Amino acid sequence: TASTLSDRDTYPTLSRTVINDAVLAANVIRSIFSMGWTRIAILHVNDAWGRAFQSEAMNEASLLGMQAVAFGFALADASAIERAVSQIADSGVRITLFIAFEQDIAAVAAAADRHGLLATGHAWIAANEFSIESVLLSSAEPARTVEQMSGWMTASMDALQGDRRPRFQGALDSTPIQYLNNNVFEGLMLEAVITAEGCGEYCATMYDAVWAAAIAMSKMELGADGSVDKAALLSEIREASFQGASGQVEFDRETGERSAAGQRLLIKNLRPTTETSLSQLVT
């Protein structure tokens, strides 16, 4: 999803069925602006994904005349998270957009609590949907983390609308996890990534990527040695247009970026269901 992959000099043949983070970043900032919030902090993991998302968000905020300050931290570095959150507290900003992996979210919540950033008048928005179960497993005090994260929001692009979501999820649920891990991922020489929780939002886009390639291949003529014209194959992939598991799949023919047509920004509000669990309500 990283917007850095849009560099056509470096990645001239890239096409992707996931939405570019630049689209998500712009829409999240616009949503924050629509709530009347014009001063924000952006807390981000300091890697290629986090830095690129932060840059896109800062650009959009600037276009809207918003004031935005950014603070980064190293992955899985509790002291760096503490410093970054302390800097947010010192800045006086009350609205924080954060870009973090699941293993760091409990630490972010704890640091925010210590610095008084969870009081009334503050808001926290995650720039991606995450597994609540994984966050709580990484926490030394799950019940406290639930209390700290209550009222937080998550934002993500969503296209599994109508009956596509239950049909796709039903097919996925009926396929044994062990079969997928042993027969699919090992065959691709990838680590097994599907757990009992499922494989998240990328299952559908991964499925559609295979279909895009298959549709393109079905239109190709093999050479005498079984090879295909790579330029022609790339063109056919970008010409593909079909209803996939992740919605209507179409590509920009020049860039290979997934069209945002049919996508929506999904904002969810976290609410406690028990002392050690949270639910996500679509808002």
Side-chain angles (χ1 to χ4, degrees), residues 85 107-119 124 144 147-148 152:
V85 173
V108 168
D113 194 10
R114 285 190 291 272
H115 290 280
L117 299 180
L118 301 181
W124 285 75
R144 183 64 178 149
E147 182 181 347
Q148 291 164 341
W152 285 22

Side-chain angles (χ1 to χ4, degrees), residues 34-58:
S34 73
M35 296 176 193
W37 295 332
T38 58
R39 296 183 67 229
I40 63 169
I42 301 175
L43 177 65
H44 65 93
V45 61
N46 198 15
D47 67 357
W49 168 60
R51 288 191 300 271
F53 199 107
Q54 172 261 328
S55 177
E56 296 290 349
M58 292 283 281

Side-chain angles (χ1 to χ4, degrees), residues 118-179:
L118 301 181
T120 300
H122 291 267
W124 285 75
I125 305 104
N128 60 305
E129 194 169 355
F130 51 81
S131 164
I132 292 170
E133 291 79 6
S134 295
V135 171
L136 297 182
L137 283 173
S138 71
S139 172
E141 299 180 272
R144 183 64 178 149
T145 299
V146 166
E147 182 181 347
Q148 291 164 341
M149 294 177 62
S150 296
W152 285 22
M153 290 177 278
T154 65
S156 59
M157 298 303 294
D158 177 66
L160 285 172
Q161 303 172 30
D163 66 352
R164 290 193 296 275
R165 183 189 295 273
R167 282 194 293 141
F168 178 75
Q169 192 62 47
L172 181 63
D173 291 344
S174 67
T175 306
I177 294 172
Q178 194 64 31
Y179 172 83

Side-chain angles (χ1 to χ4, degrees), residues 87-117:
Q87 290 173 318
I88 293 174
D90 291 342
S91 74
V93 176
R94 291 172 170 264
I95 311 303
T96 302
L97 172 66
F98 69 98
I99 303 103
F101 291 102
E102 291 167 347
Q103 63 262 45
D104 284 329
I105 292 177
V108 168
D113 194 10
R114 285 190 291 272
H115 290 280
L117 299 180

